């Protein structure tokens, strides 16, 4: 196969476009990175220092931002006074739990939908996607009733099931597309080589790993950032980080330092996850597998 | 050493039959080619043998044992797929070793086998690459390698060398034939290339539109095609076909076939073939059964003009137009002739093929 480099030639227009895109990227970076930067910096400032601001228009006073003694007391407070260890664990358990269940069930369902032909397949597939069309709030009340009946309200398993209900259709939808792209001949070759149907299915899992990676990230992000389910179904016993953070906003006292630290604690794992999983997201392994 | 018997097998895709009432057998150790044009049901047949397609009706047996219901892994076959079907995430070496690993062969033995196959296929230097980094011909060789590292009951090849360049294809024909003889493994080889079939097979099964036309040795197929379709499909350059009629000259036993100005006096050997046939028939003449000459050396020669000359290096093809028809003749490389120049042509009547015009069947 030939290389996939895009051949480009320099023209005045392309030079101009290059400059324009560089300017855009810089502006975009300021727009996206600045809030995160402020969050980080504020989380290691004492409350008084955090509110030291230069006068409007006084650009030389910008140094005030960096004039502080770093402190980790907000972080320490979060985990000693506020029980954030438990909340962190709740977040991790519900996000990973639902991601794992969704990916296992979802890949099997997607595989079946991709490979098998049966009556009503299209309708079934549409029904699966359609469950994601209603907004979460619309199903919240009946779901709450069902969960209360099953004693799942305020428990981590309850939260896992709630996220799975929403992630599973999504998993099936994403992964079906990836399975469709894996030529069936590869499984056939594997069966001729001597594997069973199930082994042949496992043999092509690496080929859909970009899809599984993408789905895992989206699934974990959905659960990790979710507020609605967590505050209603997880309320009480299974508080997650976003719910706990909102709890730091009290009528008489908004604890900015802790809120910023909680923001960092919530954001950082997702950033790390993104870095780890990036490899799977960018490789298209099936390229060139099949003739023509 | 396994004998494969296919009996009365049908393959239906929905209501459309792709293979109709197919019966043949492949003796143990035999190299059988299934030859036919695109879409004639070759791959469908092979896939039924492999267990990748349900057998709609009929039965396939390996050594007398019915295999219709066995999954592929229990049939002990090795197959080369038409579209490679390599594992994209595995290296070439791992692609070839996969089946051996699945069977729990020791690593040292796997390595020897993979290395030997790679050397034969000239892909030894590619063992660490992934399929994505290979050319089409290299992929095809890896696909062959994946099959020949094993010692299965039956090899199934689906156009395994169709995408190689002409030189490599010639090389691979010899290598595969030799390998098959050495291993003496029953082999069913699908191709649409009649040259491949003629040069490699012990026997050829010719198929058209899902129906077996003829099965026989390459010589049989070439020299005694069962019908007009087989005659036209096998042979390069293709056979000439002419609408002709049988006429009695002089006494009742002197027969002649005529097509416009072209007349062929029939030898005694042919005479009984024409019994009962008067009028409608088709004449088949292979280009090498025709001779051309600049001046008429005898009475049996038909006058015509040169329509086109195609030098091929070793031979020259001359297309001769005569009153009532046109034929392609094969002659030596030293032939010289201008377009529209007069020329004479004659037919070797012992190499004549006669077909019934109503159903295309060969008259024997
Ligand atoms: N999965 C399928 N569903 C419906 N029809 C099919 C299917 N597979 C093959 N066919 C049809 O069956 C017929 C035989 O197909 P097959 O693949 O066996 O042909 P082939 O002889 O291998 O041709 P080629 O030389 O082009 O590979 C064709 O007319 C094809 O359109
Ligand atoms: Mg085919």
């Amino acid at each position: 196969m030939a290389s996939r480099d895009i051949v480009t030639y320099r023209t005045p227009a392309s030079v101009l476009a290059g400059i324009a895109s560089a300017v855009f990227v810089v502006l975009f970076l300021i727009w996206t990175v600045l809030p995160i930067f402020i969050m980080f910096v504020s989380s290691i400032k004492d409350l008084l220092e955090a509110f030291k601001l230069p006068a409007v228009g006084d650009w030389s006073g910008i140094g005030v931002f960096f004039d502080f003694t770093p402190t980790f007391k907000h972080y320490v407070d979060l985990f000693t006074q506020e029980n954030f260890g438990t909340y962190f664990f709740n977040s991790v358990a519900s996000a990973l739990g639902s991601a794992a269940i969704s990916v296992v069930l979802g890949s099997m369902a997607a595989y079946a939908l991709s490979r098998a032909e049966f009556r009503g397949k299209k309708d079934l597939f549409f029904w699966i996607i359609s469950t994601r069309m209603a907004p979460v709030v619309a199903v919240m009340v009946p779901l709450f009733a069902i969960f209360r009946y099953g004693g799942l309200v305020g428990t981590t398993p309850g939260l896992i099931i709630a996220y799975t209900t929403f992630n599973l259709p999504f998993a099936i939808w994403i992964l079906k597309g990836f399975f469709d792209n894996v030529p069936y001949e590869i499984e056939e070759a594997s069966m001729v080589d001597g594997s069973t149907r199930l082994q042949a299915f496992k043999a092509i899992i690496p080929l859909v790993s970009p899809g599984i990676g993408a789905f895992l990230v989206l699934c974990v992000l959905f659960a990790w950032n979710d507020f609605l389910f967590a505050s209603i179904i997880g309320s009480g016993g299974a508080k997650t980080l976003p719910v706990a953070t909102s709890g730091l906003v009290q009528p008489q006292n908004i604890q900015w330092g802790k809120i910023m630290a909680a923001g960092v604690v919530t954001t950082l794992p997702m950033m790390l996850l993104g870095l780890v999983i990036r490899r799977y997201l960018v490789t298209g392994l099936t390229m060139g597998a099949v003739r023509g | 050493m396994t004998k494969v018997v296919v009996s009365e097998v049908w393959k239906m895709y929905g209501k459309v039959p792709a293979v109709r009432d197919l019966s043949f057998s492949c003796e143990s150790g035999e190299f059988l080619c299934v030859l036919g044009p695109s879409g004639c049901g070759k791959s469908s047949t092979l896939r039924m043998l492999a267990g990748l397609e349900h057998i709609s009706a009929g039965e396939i047996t390996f050594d007398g044992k019915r295999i219709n219901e066995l999954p592929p892994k229990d049939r002990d076959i090795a197959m080369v797929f038409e579209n490679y079907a390599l594992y994209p995430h595995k290296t070439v070496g791992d692609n070839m070793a996969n089946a051996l690993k699945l069977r729990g062969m020791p690593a040292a033995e796997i390595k020897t086998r993979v290395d030997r196959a790679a050397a034969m296929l000239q892909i030894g230097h590619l063992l660490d690459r992934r399929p994505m980094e290979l050319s089409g011909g290299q992929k095809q060789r890896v696909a062959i390698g994946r099959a020949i590292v094993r010692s299965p009951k039956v090899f199934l090849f689906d156009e395994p060398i169709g995408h190689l360049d002409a030189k490599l294809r010639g090389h691979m024909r010899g290598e595969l034939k030799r390998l098959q003889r050495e291993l003496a493994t029953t082999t069913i080889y699908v191709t649409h290339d009649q040259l491949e079939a003629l040069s490699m097979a012990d026997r050829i099964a010719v198929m058209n539109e899902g129906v077996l036309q003829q099965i026989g040795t390459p010589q049989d197929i070439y020299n005694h095609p069962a019908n007009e379709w087989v005659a036209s499909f096998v042979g390069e350059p293709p056979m000439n076909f002419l609408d002709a009629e049988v006429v009695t000259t002089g006494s009742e036993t002197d027969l002649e076939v005529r097509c416009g100005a072209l007349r062929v006096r029939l030898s005694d050997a042919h005479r009984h073939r024409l019994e009962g046939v008067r009028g409608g028939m088709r004449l088949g003449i292979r280009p090498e059964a025709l001779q051309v000459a600049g001046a008429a050396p005898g009475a049996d020669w038909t006058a015509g003009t040169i329509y086109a000359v195609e030098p091929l290096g070793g031979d020259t093809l001359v297309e001769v137009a005569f009153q009532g028809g046109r034929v392609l003749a094969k002659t030596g490389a030293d032939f010289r002739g201008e377009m529209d120049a007069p020329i004479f042509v004659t037919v070797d009547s012992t190499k004549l093929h006669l077909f019934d015009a109503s159903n295309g069947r060969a008259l024997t």
Side-chain angles (χ1 to χ4, degrees):
Chain A
M1 202 177 78
S3 86
R4 272 173 286 157
D5 289 347
I6 295 170
V7 181
T8 50
Y9 302 96
R10 278 179 86 86
T11 62
S14 77
V15 173
L16 216 64
I19 295 170
S21 52
V23 170
F24 173 78
V25 166
V26 169
L27 290 177
F28 180 77
L29 277 180
I30 292 174
W31 172 261
T32 48
V33 175
L34 199 60
I36 296 175
F37 173 74
I38 291 175
M39 180 178 79
F40 268 102
V41 173
S42 306
S43 75
I44 49 171
K45 280 182 184 174
D46 196 66
L47 197 59
L48 288 176
E49 289 169 334
F51 281 96
K52 264 197 295 188
L53 294 175
V56 176
D58 176 16
W59 285 98
S60 57
I62 204 144
V64 177
F65 270 122
F66 302 97
D67 175 21
F68 66 95
T69 3
T71 164
F72 287 98
K73 69 171 189 178
H74 298 309
Y75 290 93
V76 175
D77 287 354
L78 273 186
F79 287 92
T80 52
Q81 298 171 1
E82 303 286 349
N83 229 349
F84 257 59
T86 316
Y87 306 146
F88 189 86
F89 174 79
N90 287 343
S91 270
V92 170
S94 56
L96 293 188
S98 93
I101 295 175
S102 306
V103 98
V104 170
L105 297 181
S107 59
M108 291 197 287
Y111 177 80
L113 281 170
S114 167
R115 294 299 190 234
E117 282 304 328
F118 50 88
R119 200 143 34 103
K121 177 172 143 174
K122 282 206 179 105
D123 301 315
L124 179 67
F125 187 50
F126 181 74
W127 171 71
I128 289 172
I129 309 172
S130 71
T131 60
R132 276 300 296 255
M133 288 177 182
V136 178
V137 273
V139 297
M140 197 41 107
V141 171
L143 212 56
F144 185 77
I146 295 169
F147 274 49
R148 198 182 47 188
Y149 184 75
L152 291 166
V153 171
T155 63
T156 313
L159 216 45
I160 291 177
I161 293 176
Y163 291 145
T164 305
T165 14
F166 267 76
N167 278 327
L168 191 54
F170 196 36
I172 296 172
W173 187 56
I174 290 189
L175 293 177
K176 179 180 179 292
F178 278 87
F179 278 116
D180 284 346
N181 275 335
V182 177
Y184 187 48
E185 283 88 350
I186 294 176
E187 277 156 79
E188 293 184 328
S190 165
M191 287 192 275
V192 167
D193 269 355
S195 51
T196 61
R197 191 63 202 247
L198 191 64
Q199 284 172 321
F201 167 64
K202 284 190 202 144
I204 63 162
I205 290 293
L207 299 177
V208 292
S209 66
I212 290 178
F215 166 69
L216 276 177
V217 170
L218 293 170
C219 179
V220 167
L221 281 180
F222 172 80
W224 190 266
N225 294 337
D226 167 72
F227 186 78
L228 201 55
F229 278 116
S231 60
I232 295 173
I233 286 175
S235 64
K239 250 193 222 176
T240 59
L241 288 176
V243 178
T245 308
S246 79
L248 297 173
V249 183
Q250 287 144 4
Q252 327 77 339
N253 177 19
I254 300 178
Q255 308 182 46
W256 284 114
K258 281 185 194 166
I259 289 175
M260 289 299 155
V264 173
V265 168
T266 312
T267 323
L268 215 53
M270 289 305 106
M271 289 184 171
L272 292 178
L273 177 72
L275 283 180
V276 169
I277 215 136
R278 192 177 54 169
R279 190 165 70 86
Y280 294 99
L281 295 177
V282 295
T283 42
L285 279 169
T286 57
M287 287 297 298
V290 165
R291 175 158 95 190
Chain B
M1 296 291 256
T2 301
K3 176 174 171 159
V4 178
V5 178
V6 174
S7 34
E8 291 160 25
V9 163
W10 287 72
K11 177 67 206 174
M12 314 288 287
Y13 291 109
K15 289 214 168 5
V16 190
V19 174
R20 306 172 204 219
D21 196 20
L22 180 67
S23 299
F24 66 81
S25 68
C26 181
E27 300 303 321
S28 89
E30 190 179 26
F31 194 134
L32 181 82
C33 269
V34 178
L35 175 67
S38 185
C40 74
K42 307 181 297 286
S43 298
S44 304
T45 306
L46 211 62
R47 292 168 54 82
M48 285 192 283
L49 284 160
L52 300 171
E53 230 36 273
H54 283 291
I55 299 166
S56 307
E59 187 179 67
I60 299 180
T61 60
F62 286 0
D63 277 338
K65 187 164 157 281
R66 179 181 161 98
I67 53 139
N68 288 38
E69 286 78 24
L70 284 186
K73 77 176 178 69
D74 298 330
R75 296 191 185 193
D76 196 12
I77 36 131
M79 178 161 175
V80 177
F81 287 79
E82 197 170 1
N83 42 13
Y84 322 132
L86 301 177
Y87 310 118
H89 55 301
K90 291 190 176 167
T91 63
V92 167
D94 288 342
N95 261 282
M96 288 165 67
N98 188 50
L100 305 179
K101 280 186 192 152
L102 277 168
R103 282 174 170 71
M105 190 179 276
E109 170 76 6
I110 293 179
K111 189 169 169 0
T112 2
R113 286 190 177 218
V114 168
D115 287 345
R116 197 176 53 203
M120 194 202 101
L121 296 161
Q122 303 173 6
I123 49 174
H125 58 296
L126 302 174
L127 288 179
D128 293 325
R129 293 213 201 156
R130 281 169 209 271
M132 196 165 89
E133 301 153 350
L134 301 179
S135 75
Q138 290 168 335
K139 282 184 205 168
Q140 203 149 44
R141 280 179 280 160
V142 177
I144 296 172
R146 195 166 57 174
I148 65 175
V149 290
R150 294 177 46 195
S151 329
K153 278 191 185 145
V154 182
F155 279 132
L156 302 174
F157 291 113
D158 196 347
E159 312 203 5
I161 57 178
H163 277 235
L164 306 186
D165 62 60
K167 182 159 171 261
L168 197 55
R169 202 175 327 152
H171 170 78
M172 286 305 303
R173 278 206 299 264
E175 290 286 352
L176 281 178
K177 185 166 180 174
R178 184 162 181 95
L179 179 93
Q180 198 272 338
R181 291 288 186 283
E182 275 171 12
L183 301 176
T185 305
T186 311
T187 300
I188 299 181
Y189 184 109
V190 161
T191 178
H192 63 258
D193 182 349
Q194 43 107 16
L195 182 63
E196 245 168 61
L198 290 173
S199 61
M200 299 169 79
D202 291 323
R203 281 193 308 152
I204 302 176
V206 189
M207 283 180 77
N208 185 30
E209 290 177 358
V211 181
L212 181 70
Q213 304 289 320
Q214 185 176 3
I215 181 163
T217 62
Q219 292 74 27
D220 252 356
I221 303 277
Y222 190 82
N223 296 326
H224 306 289
N227 57 41
E228 201 181 320
W229 191 88
V230 174
S232 67
F233 192 73
V234 178
E236 174 63 39
M239 190 184 270
N240 296 292
F241 289 98
L242 299 166
D243 284 317
E245 52 179 358
V246 183
V247 277
T248 317
T249 55
S251 74
E252 185 61 25
T253 52
D254 276 343
L255 291 181
E256 199 178 68
V257 260
R258 280 192 195 164
C259 169
L262 189 76
R263 280 146 199 244
V264 190
R265 185 177 297 278
L266 292 184
S267 60
D268 284 346
H270 281 101
R271 201 159 290 138
H272 74 278
R273 291 161 62 178
L274 287 169
E275 260 152 37
V277 181
R278 288 291 180 275
M281 58 156 303
R282 300 264 284 164
L283 196 58
I285 312 167
R286 294 224 182 262
E288 56 267 33
L290 285 160
Q291 271 184 291
V292 290
D300 286 346
W301 294 67
T302 306
T305 54
I306 298 179
Y307 186 80
V309 181
E310 302 164 33
L312 298 180
D315 314 295
T316 304
L317 299 182
V318 187
E319 211 169 344
V320 180
F322 55 88
Q323 184 255 311
R326 207 154 81 197
V327 289
L328 190 67
K330 193 168 172 179
T331 184
D334 50 0
F335 178 86
R336 294 285 173 274
E338 292 300 315
M339 236 184 259
D340 294 328
I343 191 162
F344 293 85
V345 60
T346 190
V347 182
D348 179 350
S349 71
T350 60
K351 294 186 183 163
L352 215 52
H353 297 273
L354 304 169
F355 302 99
D356 189 330
S358 59
N359 57 17
R361 252 185 244 135
L363 298 167
T364 51

